[in-house]
Amino acid sequence: MGNEELATAVDVAGLTVRRGPHTVLDGLDLRIPAGRVVGLLGPSGAGKTTLLRAIVGVQQVHGGRVTVLGRPAGAPELRRRVGYVTQAPSIYTDLTVTENLRYFATVLRAPSDDVDRVLDQVDLGRYARTRAGDLSGGERSRVSLAAALLGAPELLVLDEPTVGLDPVLRRDLWDLFGRLRDDGTSLLVSSHVMDEASRCDRLLLMRDGALVADATEAELLARTGADDVEHAFLALVEEGVR
Amino acid sequence: MTPALTAATARRVLAQLRHDPRTIALIVLLPCVLLGLIAWMFHGTPVLDQFGPILVALFPLIVMFLVTSVATLRERTSGTLERLMASPLGKGDFVGGYALAFGVVAVVQALVVTGFAVWVCGMDVHGSLGAVVLVAVLDAVLGCTLGLAASAVARTEFQAVQMMPLIVFPQLVVCGLLMPRDEMPTVLEWISRAFPLTYGVDAMQHLAAGSSLGDVAGDVAVIVAFLAGAVVVGGLTLRRRTP
């Protein structure tokens, strides 16, 4: 276990991404440990999605280096080892849930019984034959998550997977993330809801394309003397301004 | 490119169409309705025999162009393309899967439209009827592949729909349908040779006048070359990494 704790899932060095005239990320450095649930927290527009896209290898980058599971991000051999859930549910609304998952399972070369496994994991078994377009927004995003779980990837990159879910479902999903972590999966989960910090093993706080903090929740609260992550975030930003 | 993944993508696109019977009806019935109108308008004249085969090739091209460009654009805007580009799916699998799926639809469409023209409208083809169906299928698949390539350039649904007049109408003007190509100004005649539709119309004109498949083999070869070229362009314009 000791050695595994030191393992690195993602290493980002000097990452620069520009979009139009804006520099979204400017020389970002960070490290994401393997086998942990790492929360990427920050307000909308902080550059979270851009960072996640760069890690998955679908973002055009203008400088720096992103290493994922020891390989350059986006390398062909990583495409089955990294699961990615986009912010908006990326599934075919005109197909049933099972048809969606079967297609993605074939693409990922996941075993055929994987469809039932991931449906169980996101608790959507009863909707297997429902057209995805007939599901609620929260259910669709869980189908999108299920598709990323196919083939049991070593690293899961989840962009705001709990948005719009009721508290019970949010708790269930965070429980699922914890179980996946216990099975050895590394997870990077973005959120703009600061109270989800308590479910993460480690936190990355982002603002305006820069890293504000990289710590555990306890370290963060101790360092800032704040009662919760929201206030810790405010304290760190104000400290930076001064 | 992996055959299993190309086939899986084609199956998925066909499954999507199966859930949308109205679109299938439009794809198959719309060309029939248009052809029926023309047959009715020119009833008792040789116009249908002369131009019918050309229209059999033309309507499917336009319909399939539209359907494909919108379908692939939807894939871009919904985020499913991003998911696929982060997966082991090859770009060739994506484009090939779409071409294959819509190729199947094109075969059905060409058979129904040709059958309707011959047996319902009374179109009389002097040349090989099988060759008419073949050219119609190839033209429909060409419409798909051009639509795939065009949707790569379009950023919005509005642009995707405008690609149809942009890419199809100039071809229509100079393909020999409005004026025989040997009577056109030389420059326009040259331009017409650069457009794939010209060869489809040329083949159909010859078939209507009594040619066999062998007589139009040159035209067919050029259409196939354009088709392959459009698949390659469609694949090249797909990007794993986007801004």
Side-chain angles (χ1 to χ4, degrees):
Chain A
M1 190 72 195
N3 283 335
E4 281 169 37
E5 274 180 6
L6 294 173
T8 300
V10 179
D11 189 40
V12 174
L15 178 64
T16 301
V17 175
R18 285 188 287 274
R19 190 173 296 129
H22 303 287
T23 300
V24 185
L25 302 176
D26 191 6
L28 190 68
D29 296 301
L30 59 88
R31 192 188 85 88
I32 291 159
R36 290 284 172 272
V37 179
V38 176
L40 178 62
L41 302 183
S44 177
K48 302 189 296 293
T49 296
T50 306
L51 172 62
L52 297 184
R53 280 170 42 85
I55 290 171
V56 176
V58 295
Q59 174 69 51
Q60 270 175 19
V61 302
H62 302 89
R65 191 169 42 76
V66 182
T67 310
V68 178
L69 305 173
R71 309 284 311 153
E77 59 270 30
L78 284 178
R79 290 184 195 135
R80 289 175 63 195
R81 299 171 65 197
V82 179
Y84 173 41
V85 178
T86 53
Q87 204 165 349
S90 47
I91 51 170
Y92 300 101
T93 50
D94 42 8
L95 293 182
T96 67
V97 171
T98 305
E99 284 170 333
N100 266 288
L101 295 176
R102 277 216 191 107
Y103 174 58
F104 291 123
T106 311
V107 167
L108 294 163
R109 295 170 184 268
S112 52
D113 57 350
D114 235 23
V115 169
D116 294 329
R117 180 184 65 88
V118 297
L119 270 177
D120 268 355
Q121 280 185 315
V122 299
D123 195 21
L124 277 181
R126 65 191 178 285
Y127 293 124
R129 298 161 76 100
T130 308
R131 217 175 56 97
D134 293 336
L135 298 174
S136 73
E139 286 156 355
R140 280 185 221 186
S141 64
R142 277 190 286 155
V143 177
S144 196
L145 172 64
L149 298 174
L150 289 164
E154 294 158 59
L155 170 66
L156 273 172
V157 178
L158 312 177
D159 198 356
E160 309 232 1
T162 58
V163 160
L165 296 185
D166 81 62
V168 178
L169 277 173
R170 264 172 61 188
R171 183 202 60 202
D172 291 350
L173 275 191
W174 280 104
D175 289 345
L176 170 64
F177 300 159
R179 287 198 301 277
L180 290 167
R181 183 246 349 252
D182 295 341
D183 293 340
T185 309
S186 311
L187 292 98
L188 178 58
V189 186
S190 84
S191 176
H192 65 267
V193 189
M194 297 285 176
D195 63 6
E196 297 198 316
S198 60
R199 305 299 308 264
C200 304
D201 301 321
R202 196 165 184 88
L203 301 175
L204 297 169
L205 263 51
M206 266 184 98
R207 185 171 186 268
D208 286 342
L211 206 58
V212 179
D214 174 2
T216 64
E217 187 186 27
E219 287 167 3
L220 204 63
L221 299 184
R223 194 194 306 165
T224 55
D227 296 328
D228 56 40
V229 175
E230 177 118 23
H231 286 97
F233 184 86
L234 284 171
L236 287 167
V237 168
E238 275 161 17
E239 193 178 284
V241 168
R242 253 181 254 136
Chain B
M1 202 170 161
T2 324
L5 297 192
T6 311
T9 303
R11 267 201 308 279
R12 187 263 296 167
V13 173
L14 286 173
Q16 285 180 282
L17 275 177
R18 212 172 43 237
H19 286 286
D20 186 3
R22 202 179 288 194
T23 293
I24 299 178
L26 281 171
I27 289 175
V28 175
L29 294 183
L30 185 65
C32 293
V33 170
L34 293 172
L35 209 67
L37 280 175
I38 286 168
W40 187 16
M41 194 192 300
F42 293 101
H43 185 69
T45 70
V47 168
L48 186 68
D49 295 347
Q50 211 180 330
F51 291 105
I54 299 174
L55 299 177
V56 164
L58 194 62
F59 292 146
L61 181 128
I62 296 175
V63 172
M64 296 306 268
F65 182 97
L66 274 177
V67 170
T68 322
S69 53
V70 171
T72 44
L73 188 79
R74 219 171 43 156
E75 187 115 35
R76 282 167 207 274
T77 49
S78 70
T80 44
L81 184 63
E82 175 158 304
R83 183 193 280 281
L84 292 177
M85 288 297 101
S87 82
L89 189 81
K91 296 182 206 171
D93 296 321
F94 181 82
V95 177
Y98 263 94
L100 212 62
F102 282 116
V104 170
V105 178
V107 170
V108 174
Q109 186 193 44
L111 286 174
V112 172
V113 174
T114 313
F116 180 81
V118 171
W119 288 304
V120 179
C121 303
M123 181 175 83
D124 198 6
V125 178
H126 298 292
S128 152
L129 192 60
V132 168
V133 174
L134 175 71
V135 174
V137 169
L138 287 178
D139 266 5
V141 178
L142 178 70
C144 293
T145 52
L146 289 177
L148 276 170
S151 78
V153 185
R155 288 279 171 272
T156 64
E157 280 90 344
F158 286 142
Q159 290 177 17
V161 175
Q162 307 280 9
M163 287 291 167
M164 200 277 284
L166 177 73
I167 292 180
V168 175
F169 281 18
Q171 299 198 58
L172 262 180
V173 172
V174 298
C175 71
L177 185 66
L178 302 179
M179 180 195 276
R181 284 171 51 231
D182 48 15
E183 292 172 22
M184 284 180 198
T186 318
V187 176
L188 287 184
E189 203 271 327
W190 285 347
I191 292 175
S192 77
R193 290 186 200 189
F195 290 151
L197 186 59
T198 305
Y199 300 90
V201 169
D202 188 66
M204 286 302 203
Q205 279 171 335
H206 282 103
L207 290 170
S211 294
S212 67
L213 177 60
D215 299 329
V216 296
D219 283 330
V220 169
V222 175
I223 299 170
V224 170
F226 269 106
L227 207 153
V231 169
V232 171
V233 169
L236 287 177
T237 48
L238 275 184
R239 290 271 174 270
R240 290 228 183 240
R241 289 179 184 269
T242 49

